[in-house]
């Protein structure tokens, strides 16, 4: 799955789908889209004088249009990013509730760091081959997921 296919899949076909499985390529291409979108919006914020306002301690002087765009972007991306992560956990044969547990553990100082590392490792690991209790293998039964095999 490529970049545009992953973005289309996560934003159009599976926007709020918490069932099924997501391959590593689907998840990480969509994460790259999410990261690049946030980066562009923050660059836009600083291009409109946001950095000077922050240096002066004048938070009221921050430009409102980029802030509104950033807020809309993050609000619009909460559901598809969470859904993609839950589907990624499903690919490892883990319940999506483990993702919620890792988010809640984030509020505990040292435990939160360990939980975020665990969630990262889970999203990086190869999915279980073949069908599991969350659905069929997103790579297909006869597709090999080993990139360097």
């Amino acid at each position: 799955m490529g970049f545009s296919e992953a973005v289309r899949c996560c934003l159009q076909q599976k926007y709020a789908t918490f069932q099924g499985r997501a391959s590593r390529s689907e998840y990480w291409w969509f994460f790259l889209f999410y990261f690049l979108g946030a980066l562009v919006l923050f660059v836009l914020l600083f291009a409109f004088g946001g950095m000077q306002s922050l240096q002066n301690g004048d938070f009221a002087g921050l430009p409102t249009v980029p802030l509104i765009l950033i807020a809309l972007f993050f609000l619009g991306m909460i559901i598809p990013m969470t859904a993609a992560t839950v589907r990624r956990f499903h690919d490892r044969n883990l319940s999506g509730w483990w993702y919620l547990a890792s988010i809640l553990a984030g509020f505990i100082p040292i435990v939160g760091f360990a939980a975020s590392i665990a969630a990262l490792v889970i999203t990086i690991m190869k999915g279980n081959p073949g069908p599991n209790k969350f659905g069929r293998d997103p790579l297909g039964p006869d597709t090999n997921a080993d990139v360097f095999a």
Side-chain angles (χ1 to χ4, degrees):
M1 177 174 289
F3 180 80
S4 61
E5 187 179 354
V7 171
R8 189 178 322 107
C9 177
C10 289
L11 290 180
Q12 290 179 349
Q13 300 166 355
K14 299 179 181 179
Y15 183 85
T17 303
F18 292 87
Q19 299 171 345
R21 297 167 64 175
S23 65
R24 286 185 291 182
S25 61
E26 176 185 342
Y27 176 78
W28 286 107
W29 282 121
F30 185 63
F31 185 84
L32 178 66
F33 167 77
Y34 179 76
F35 177 78
L36 291 176
L39 183 68
V40 165
L41 289 172
F42 279 108
V43 166
L44 184 68
L45 172 70
F46 291 123
F48 280 101
M51 185 59 126
Q52 186 173 0
S53 296
L54 289 176
Q55 286 176 345
N56 296 338
D58 179 24
F59 296 107
L62 286 171
T64 56
V65 172
L67 283 177
I68 291 172
L69 289 176
I70 289 170
L72 289 175
F73 177 76
F74 283 118
L75 283 174
M77 295 299 284
I78 286 173
I79 293 174
M81 196 66 213
T82 303
T85 306
V86 166
R87 289 193 316 272
R88 184 73 202 118
F89 270 57
H90 287 176
D91 196 36
R92 291 287 312 142
N93 208 16
L94 294 169
S95 172
W97 293 107
W98 283 107
Y99 180 56
L100 176 63
S102 72
I103 291 173
L104 294 176
F107 293 107
I108 304 170
I110 297 190
V111 175
F113 180 72
S116 64
I117 296 297
L120 176 67
V121 168
I122 289 169
T123 58
I124 290 173
M125 292 175 65
K126 178 181 166 183
N128 291 358
N132 66 16
K133 65 182 178 181
F134 297 105
R136 65 173 191 79
D137 190 350
L139 299 176
D142 50 332
T143 306
N144 189 1
D146 292 332
V147 177
F148 299 107

